[in-house]
Amino acid sequence: GQSLEQPSEVTAVEGAIVQINCTYQTSGFYGLSWYQQHDGGAPTFLSYNGLDGLEETGRFSSFLSRSDSYGYLLLQELQMKDSASYFCAVSAYSSASKIIFGSGTRLSIRP
Amino acid sequence: SQTIHQWPATLVQPVGSPLSLECTVEGTSNPNLYWYRQAAGRGLQLLFYSVGIGQISSEVPQNLSASRPQDRQFILSSKKLLLSDSGFYLCAWSGGALRYFGAGTRLSVL
């Protein structure tokens, strides 16, 4: 089967940098993705890693280490609007039509 | 570009009543479609997915069912709602390993 672990809550200060970690267990790993969800809203796609290394998209970056079954989402220059829940999700070759989501990390930003 | 429509946005239903949530996708053909449920403050639970018309895979045994009568239409149904069916229901389509979600339906069963 597949499983993911990520911290349930993270608190950071406006303007700072925060890293949200995700470890996973799956056979036939295909890729790791990240989603953002504001309260009351739907999840929106942020970033995807299919290969090892860092993917950068503006203030957000995502990293993957396939050998360590580990990834992280890095948010820089934090803004109050970044307060949201962040989900990592893993897809596997064995279930190409399905991806499994982690339980989410609630990020709270303090002024 | 692809868009996904989901309605209604909010629904309050009594226990034992039927349910029908509809989702339609525009701008793509033969999409893989998904129904997820999210309990308050929790992660996303995959309920059903469909790779084509009439093809439904169920992930969690429950009193819900899904149907795909048309290529770009996905329906979630129940004959008799339970209190435990309350939650945030999300329809999604897939672009490869990614998911694109509709706005969701917040269902309260009372």
Side-chain angles (χ1 to χ4, degrees):
Chain A
Q2 298 163 281
S3 65
L4 299 99
E5 285 192 20
Q6 56 180 126
S8 58
E9 293 184 23
V10 173
T11 301
V13 178
E14 190 176 15
I17 300 173
V18 71
Q19 178 174 311
I20 299 174
N21 299 320
C22 175
T23 56
Y24 60 87
Q25 285 188 323
T26 185
S27 55
F29 175 83
Y30 187 81
L32 187 72
S33 50
W34 290 91
Y35 295 78
Q36 178 191 59
Q37 184 180 29
H38 286 100
D39 286 346
T44 56
F45 167 73
L46 284 179
S47 188
Y48 174 77
N49 295 77
L51 301 173
D52 286 357
L54 192 68
E55 292 287 338
E56 298 179 80
T57 309
R59 294 188 297 114
F60 294 177
S61 304
S62 60
F63 172 82
L64 174 66
S65 169
R66 297 167 69 109
S67 60
D68 295 323
S69 297
Y70 163 76
Y72 65 72
L73 179 69
L74 189 73
L75 296 84
Q76 304 182 70
E77 301 173 18
L78 286 171
Q79 302 175 10
M80 297 302 292
K81 67 178 182 179
D82 297 329
S83 293
S85 291
Y86 293 84
F87 296 87
C88 58
V90 64
S91 51
Y93 283 105
S94 58
S95 56
S97 294
K98 298 184 291 184
I99 64 172
I100 302 299
F101 287 82
S103 54
T105 298
R106 185 166 186 85
L107 173 62
S108 299
I109 312 287
R110 294 184 285 112
Chain B
S1 63
Q2 299 85 356
T3 55
I4 182 166
H5 303 279
Q6 193 180 339
W7 65 93
T10 307
L11 192 59
V12 180
Q13 292 285 101
V15 170
S17 64
L19 173 73
S20 181
L21 302 180
E22 189 164 342
C23 169
T24 59
V25 181
E26 295 179 359
T28 184
S29 58
N30 197 30
N32 287 352
L33 297 174
Y34 306 82
W35 279 110
Y36 289 88
R37 177 169 63 196
Q38 186 177 34
R42 303 293 295 277
L44 295 161
Q45 179 187 33
L46 178 63
L47 301 176
F48 300 95
Y49 73 93
S50 172
V51 299
I53 295 174
Q55 300 179 64
I56 309 294
S57 295
S58 174
E59 290 299 300
V60 183
Q62 58 212 331
N63 69 319
L64 299 172
S65 63
S67 62
R68 186 164 176 179
Q70 299 179 42
D71 181 44
R72 285 173 266 183
Q73 185 184 30
F74 203 22
I75 299 172
L76 182 70
S77 304
S78 174
K79 292 182 179 178
K80 288 186 177 182
L81 284 169
L82 306 173
L83 286 174
S84 57
D85 292 325
S86 294
F88 191 37
Y89 287 82
L90 292 152
C91 180
W93 71 277
S94 71
L98 310 180
R99 296 291 179 270
Y100 300 96
F101 291 88
T105 296
R106 196 162 302 280
L107 173 66
S108 298
V109 182
L110 305 177

